Amino acid sequence: MKHIINYLPFLAFGLIACEPEFENAIENNQIYTSGEADFTTYVALGNSLTAGYADNALYQQGQDHSFPNIISGQFALVGGGDFTQPLMADNLGGLMYNGNQILPNRLVLPSDAGEPVIPPQPLAGIPQTEISTKLDGPFNNMGVPGAKSFHLTAPGYGNPAGVPSQEANPYFARFATSENATVIGDALAQDPSFFSLWIGNNDILGYATSGGTGENQTGNTDPSTYADNDITDPDVFAGIYSQLIEGLTTIASGGVVYNIPNLTDIPFFTTVPNNALELDAATAARLTGFFEALAGIYTQVFIQNGVPEAQAQSLAAQYAITFDEGPNRFIIEVPVSQTNPLGFRQMYPEELLLLTIDQAALTQGYGSVMLSPEVRQVLGLLQQGETPSTEQAQLVLDAVSGIEDGDALDKTELEAISTARASYNTTIQGIAEANGLAFVDAEGLLQQVSQGLSFPGGVVTSEFVTGGGFSLDGVHLTPRGYALVANETIRAINTTYGSDLPEVNIGNFGTINFSDNVN
């Protein structure tokens, strides 16, 4: 089998991060207007996408390029006030708690004799950001990495004492005004004249990035019982979202909200194809023969266990999987059921593998078959017309090395994610329209990026590492990606409030970071 991913050659231009210019050059005597909006006190609420999280960490350079910080620079052209952020202590990105590191440093791309090395590695060094050191606020950027919708209204979410038990958030613990404060409460206390709210991604993202190992909590309206990798009940989301908007619109003159992008458009789920089982003709024939033998063995096993012969043959036939020379789809584990008693099948075209899967293991039989000498011996017995023992039959079954649940999203899991996301987005757009708020179609924007989005001087895509839109964690955006969000936000605000804020120059924003200073 060949390597799973052949990365495109790295282009020298557009990959290295650079310092942005936050507004286009202003023509002589050009005057911008705010329209009906008041940007005097802009407060941004949300999660990691609002905070400027990138490369699997929050760090100063990323915060400088957060989309709220970018658009606040444009707001300043029409009377917008200062925009403060709870800056990390350095550009390493790791977090300390009482002197112990609790979250890793950010990812960078090392090189070997000038050639990029995959996968990205954590930047070396001891971070200086201590969460027990409280920052003096208030802060206009209230984005809290890891926050779900209901966390924004949860008292104690910023209590440092709750961090070890995961009852509190280490990022919010740095700047919450009190141990019992809420994110929305601290935001409203600033009397915002304008707000942005991008929340809901994490209500499905944890489930997705865990490979669907959490629970779909649809029907359970008690979020205190949820795990981090569960899907939030859509009614819970709708209730919380309505509460957030009601509080914000009571004070602010206007705001902008964002829907939830399609997870299948981000490189964390699109980089490793599920048909990357590349086989030569001889290996394809061997695998086909193996599964034909397995189907034959278990036809007899099912009959011996009282299954009628015709039904036994029908059940076993699904395991006579054929392989061809070239790319083939991997084998995946599924729950054992009456219709699939052995608990595996070949992946469907729409199913996804996670970026974090062990790609080296895929080249060694993970996702297909581990053909040990003992298994080959049993297959030899079958070729001689002998009937294997129960132990030998189990040995053949155990040789099947299906992709485990935590490394993939199967059809059922994808449907659960899609259903929840559709409901969240219906809620967001409906509430935005009912309150006359600017609305950003983040779903449509990232879909454009996945297909290649042109800007003066280049193209942004969702290709991992080379595309320019996504950072090295495959989930969060690069500075260039956040600049795209900023421009989309500016367009939505101009349309809704009659302002004429200028867009930023996408080409002035960098993408990924290189460094050989790794652990």
Side-chain angles (χ1 to χ4, degrees), residues 193-209:
S193 62
F194 196 85
F195 70 89
S196 63
L197 176 63
W198 194 1
I199 198 70
N201 307 67
N202 289 336
D203 292 74
I204 53 174
L205 183 63
Y207 178 87
T209 55

Side-chain angles (χ1 to χ4, degrees), residues 86-346:
L87 293 175
M88 300 284 281
D90 52 44
N91 274 313
L92 291 176
L95 281 184
M96 307 292 285
Y97 183 52
N98 293 332
N100 298 309
Q101 188 164 354
I102 59 173
L103 287 177
N105 293 353
R106 66 185 176 99
L107 296 173
V108 293
L109 200 65
S111 64
D112 181 11
E115 293 296 323
V117 177
I118 303 294
Q121 301 293 324
L123 190 63
I126 300 175
Q128 300 301 306
T129 305
E130 170 62 54
I131 70 169
S132 62
T133 301
K134 187 71 71 172
L135 301 179
D136 293 328
F139 296 102
N140 300 84
N141 193 331
M142 298 290 295
V144 180
K148 297 187 178 186
S149 58
F150 52 85
H151 288 143
L152 300 190
T153 63
Y157 192 56
N159 184 350
V163 170
S165 61
Q166 298 184 343
E167 295 176 306
N169 184 293
Y171 294 102
F172 187 44
R174 299 181 63 235
F175 65 95
T177 57
S178 70
E179 293 182 352
N180 206 43
T182 64
V183 176
I184 183 63
D186 281 0
L188 295 177
Q190 300 179 56
D191 292 324
S193 62
F194 196 85
F195 70 89
S196 63
L197 176 63
W198 194 1
I199 198 70
N201 307 67
N202 289 336
D203 292 74
I204 53 174
L205 183 63
Y207 178 87
T209 55
S210 72
T213 57
E215 298 292 332
N216 181 2
Q217 295 290 358
T218 298
N220 178 7
T221 57
D222 181 7
S224 68
T225 65
Y226 296 177
D228 286 343
N229 58 345
D230 289 351
I231 293 177
T232 300
D233 172 74
D235 289 336
V236 168
F237 177 83
I240 292 292
Y241 202 87
S242 296
Q243 180 181 341
L244 294 171
I245 294 298
E246 181 179 0
L248 290 164
T249 54
T250 297
I251 298 174
S253 66
V256 55
V257 298
Y258 307 73
N259 65 6
I260 313 302
N262 189 343
L263 296 181
T264 60
D265 289 334
I266 68 176
F268 191 87
F269 302 103
T270 61
T271 300
V272 185
N274 73 8
N275 67 338
L277 182 58
E278 191 79 21
L279 305 174
D280 57 32
T283 305
R286 283 196 296 271
L287 281 179
T288 298
F290 170 87
F291 282 99
E292 287 177 349
L294 185 145
I297 291 171
Y298 276 89
T299 298
Q300 298 306 313
V301 171
F302 295 152
I303 291 173
Q304 291 169 8
N305 282 275
V307 178
E309 182 174 351
Q311 185 179 353
Q313 291 174 341
S314 177
L315 279 174
Q318 66 184 299
Y319 305 116
I321 302 170
T322 59
F323 296 83
D324 300 312
E325 181 180 6
N328 293 265
R329 301 195 188 282
F330 290 106
I331 304 300
I332 188 174
E333 292 182 355
V334 295
V336 172
S337 64
Q338 288 186 339
T339 57
N340 191 337
L342 300 187
F344 72 85
R345 59 168 170 78
Q346 202 163 25

